[in-house]
Amino acid sequence: KQWYQRRVRGGVLVCYLSTYIVYLTFPASFLLISAITTSKMLLVRYPLRSAGWSTRRAHLVCAGCWICAATVDISLFIVDWDDISFGYKAYKCDYHFTAEVWKWLRPVLSIFTSLLPNIVVVITTCMLLFEARRVAKRGRGSLRWQGIMTVILTAVIYCLSILPFTVYLIAGPHISEEPPGWFHLHFYRCAWSVLLLSVVSNFYIYLLTVTSFRHFVFHKLSAKGLPVNQSDSESSIFKCEIPRQPMSRTF
């Protein structure tokens, strides 16, 4: 009996922790990706000003993203911290938003933690492409296309993965289905599955665009005795470096 009680209590604790961790990490990742695309665009647009940026400023921006994301967990805890149980919609523990206040508070939080980061990512990614093309045409030094392609691919996959879940968060409180029908069951499952695409794809994006990371992975695989095509490991997929223009010396 004691073993069973410990097991139940441990399962409930894991259920609550996993739910609050999910509602903290996903908004934080959305805000961090929007910060990455914005900072990369500013680095390309203002290279001289950004040269003076310190790691402390970057840490403050990241801390601000985590603090903003924590408002979701704080809202869940204040409204009803115990509104969590295992659900068969996605076969996981989840917050059920049964309080009346969630009819307006949930869309507001979704707009600030999901919709606005999406808009920022789309705008800054388009501006990044425009600025990179402008710099490449001017021939202003060498443009690091690998980092730009990493940011762009991360932003594109992020927008595609978060869009269905954002639609569900905003429209969900206004669509009533008893019992749960296509929107609250099948669309929710598809949106949650697509949401994980952004997490799974990061490894492959870095493997595709970052040469040093690709060499590191191939080196580890070859050390384990796995067959690796050396020509692929030595080739750069995005060799788009703009040659540095020779500078005339003035005596």
Side-chain angles (χ1 to χ4, degrees):
K1 183 178 180 180
Q2 293 179 354
W3 173 83
Y4 176 78
Q5 290 178 349
R6 288 197 301 268
R7 182 180 179 183
V8 171
R9 291 174 183 173
V12 172
L13 179 62
V14 172
C15 183
Y16 277 66
L17 286 178
S18 63
T19 302
Y20 280 103
I21 288 174
V22 165
Y23 281 99
L24 172 65
T25 54
F26 273 101
S29 64
F30 305 155
L31 295 172
L32 288 172
I33 290 176
S34 63
I36 289 174
T37 56
T38 304
S39 61
K40 192 65 178 180
M41 185 271 297
L42 294 176
L43 285 171
V44 176
R45 186 178 178 87
Y46 307 106
L48 297 180
R49 296 181 184 178
S50 59
W53 293 356
S54 61
T55 55
R56 184 175 181 272
R57 178 176 295 184
H59 293 160
L60 290 176
V61 172
C62 295
C65 293
W66 281 100
I67 292 174
C68 292
T71 56
V72 179
D73 267 5
I74 294 173
S75 301
L76 299 179
F77 190 84
I78 292 176
V79 174
D80 188 1
W81 68 272
D82 199 26
D83 194 14
I84 298 175
S85 63
F86 182 83
Y88 288 95
K89 287 200 304 183
Y91 294 95
K92 65 180 183 68
C93 294
D94 201 357
Y95 196 92
H96 294 288
F97 302 97
T98 56
E100 192 70 20
V101 68
W102 289 118
K103 288 186 177 181
W104 65 268
L105 183 58
R106 187 179 177 184
V108 169
L109 291 176
S110 302
I111 289 174
F112 282 101
T113 59
S114 298
L115 184 60
L116 286 182
N118 261 306
I119 296 174
V120 171
V121 168
V122 172
I123 294 175
T124 53
T125 302
C126 294
M127 293 179 64
L128 176 60
L129 287 171
F130 175 79
E131 291 297 329
R133 187 179 174 213
R134 183 176 62 86
V135 172
K137 283 185 175 181
R138 287 185 177 181
R140 190 175 64 190
S142 62
L143 191 62
R144 296 182 179 180
W145 281 97
Q146 289 186 359
I148 293 175
M149 292 306 301
T150 303
V151 173
I152 291 175
L153 287 178
T154 303
V156 169
I157 295 179
Y158 155 77
C159 291
L160 294 177
S161 63
I162 189 58
L163 186 59
F165 198 74
T166 303
V167 171
Y168 178 82
L169 290 177
I170 296 176
H174 305 286
I175 298 177
S176 58
E177 292 179 337
E178 288 297 337
W182 178 86
F183 185 80
H184 285 288
L185 189 62
H186 300 292
F187 183 81
Y188 175 80
R189 289 177 179 176
C190 293
W192 183 258
S193 300
V194 174
L195 186 63
L196 300 177
L197 178 65
S198 178
V199 180
V200 176
S201 63
N202 286 335
F203 172 81
Y204 300 100
I205 291 175
Y206 297 146
L207 189 67
L208 182 67
T209 58
V210 182
T211 306
S212 58
F213 180 73
R214 184 165 60 254
H215 288 174
F216 170 77
V217 172
F218 286 149
H219 175 73
K220 291 298 182 180
L221 292 177
S222 60
K224 296 294 183 179
L226 298 176
V228 176
N229 191 345
Q230 294 296 331
S231 61
D232 293 340
S233 63
E234 295 297 329
S235 64
S236 178
I237 296 178
F238 291 107
K239 282 188 176 179
C240 302
E241 294 289 337
I242 306 300
R244 188 179 296 274
Q245 299 292 330
M247 299 178 62
S248 60
R249 296 182 179 181
T250 304
F251 296 94

